Amino acid sequence: MAATAAIAAISDGASEQEVAAQCVAAMIRTGGHAPGFGPFIRPAARLGEEHTTWGDGIYRRGEPVFVELSGCISRYHAPLGRLVRIGYISDEDAAMAEVTAKAFDAVVKALRPGARARDIYAAWQAVADEAGLYHYRRHHCGYLVGAGQPPSWTGGNSVTGLRHDSDLKIETGMSFHILSWLMGTGRGDDFVSNTVLLTDAGAEVLTRTPAGPIVR
């Protein structure tokens, strides 16, 4: 509900503080606890300011807004992320949104007991390569999440990522923040992330906010 409230509040002329206020209020009113950190809500112009959040600006038409936050109950976390466009989405960005969605689905399909973290990353990278983004690489396509204390939702002060060179064995019961991130590609931008739990029946996406592309 917090993500839904934040997205609904984003519009041309909306203040960064009001969007954040709607997000945090929804988080509290629906029974959520204070997450390990965040929420991170800011214009994409400040995307490089990792793990920073709202300022005192006003959102304007044509500006993408980065939204990343986590639900939290009794210290258990379920993060998600979305990129929200105000007013319209370019053809390039819309095409990239299709790639991020496909790459996310490939990761979910690859998550199975006995697989290695490097195999999961390879599934994500294969979709990017198929889209012609051979030059584009990420340090990971997700990481372990769960019980966490401030200032983290990863369960500790380090990040156990799904990296291209990781030998981590995937096991049932693991939960991940899966990120399909294609920003700064030179051919359009998009980002989507969700929490995924590996159950006996397969990988289950726990976060329900629609993936988009989202235009407000």
Side-chain angles (χ1 to χ4, degrees):
M1 293 300 294
T4 299
I7 292 167
I10 294 170
S11 65
D12 182 25
S15 72
E16 293 185 38
Q17 294 102 325
E18 180 59 25
V19 171
Q22 292 296 328
C23 173
V24 174
M27 184 181 295
I28 296 169
R29 288 172 178 149
T30 54
H33 299 157
F37 59 174
F40 308 123
I41 309 172
R42 61 190 185 277
R46 292 198 288 113
L47 186 62
E49 300 175 12
E50 190 170 6
H51 295 165
T52 61
T53 190
W54 62 89
D56 57 2
I58 300 295
Y59 293 121
R60 295 300 185 193
R61 175 179 168 82
E63 182 175 39
V65 180
F66 176 82
V67 176
E68 185 181 28
L69 56 87
S70 181
C72 178
I73 296 291
S74 299
R75 308 318 316 151
Y76 284 91
H77 290 78
L80 64 82
R82 299 292 186 269
L83 192 66
V84 182
R85 281 86 171 182
I86 301 175
Y88 68 92
I89 183 172
S90 70
D91 290 343
E92 280 192 333
D93 287 348
M96 196 56 62
E98 294 181 5
V99 180
T100 56
K102 185 176 179 180
F104 179 89
D105 290 344
V107 169
V108 172
K109 184 177 180 180
L111 281 171
R112 60 186 184 278
R116 301 291 177 174
R118 61 176 179 266
D119 303 324
I120 312 306
Y121 179 88
W124 182 87
Q125 188 65 57
V127 176
D129 289 349
E130 183 182 15
L133 300 172
Y134 305 103
H135 65 288
Y136 194 87
R137 294 291 184 273
R138 289 279 296 159
H139 55 294
H140 63 56
C141 66
Y143 51 85
L144 285 166
V145 292
Q149 298 290 340
S152 172
W153 58 46
T154 64
N157 60 2
S158 62
V159 176
T160 302
L162 297 169
R163 302 176 183 273
H164 73 95
D165 57 354
S166 174
D167 198 43
L168 174 72
K169 185 178 179 180
I170 306 302
E171 298 180 6
T172 300
M174 286 181 168
S175 56
F176 303 89
H177 183 202
I178 300 299
L179 301 95
S180 191
W181 177 292
L182 288 165
M183 301 290 292
T185 68
R187 289 178 41 193
D189 298 311
D190 195 58
F191 158 65
V192 64
S193 71
N194 290 292
T195 299
V196 179
L197 172 66
L198 185 56
T199 73
D200 290 332
E204 178 185 358
V205 180
L206 300 182
T207 37
R208 305 299 185 189
T209 302
I214 300 171
V215 180
R216 293 288 304 150

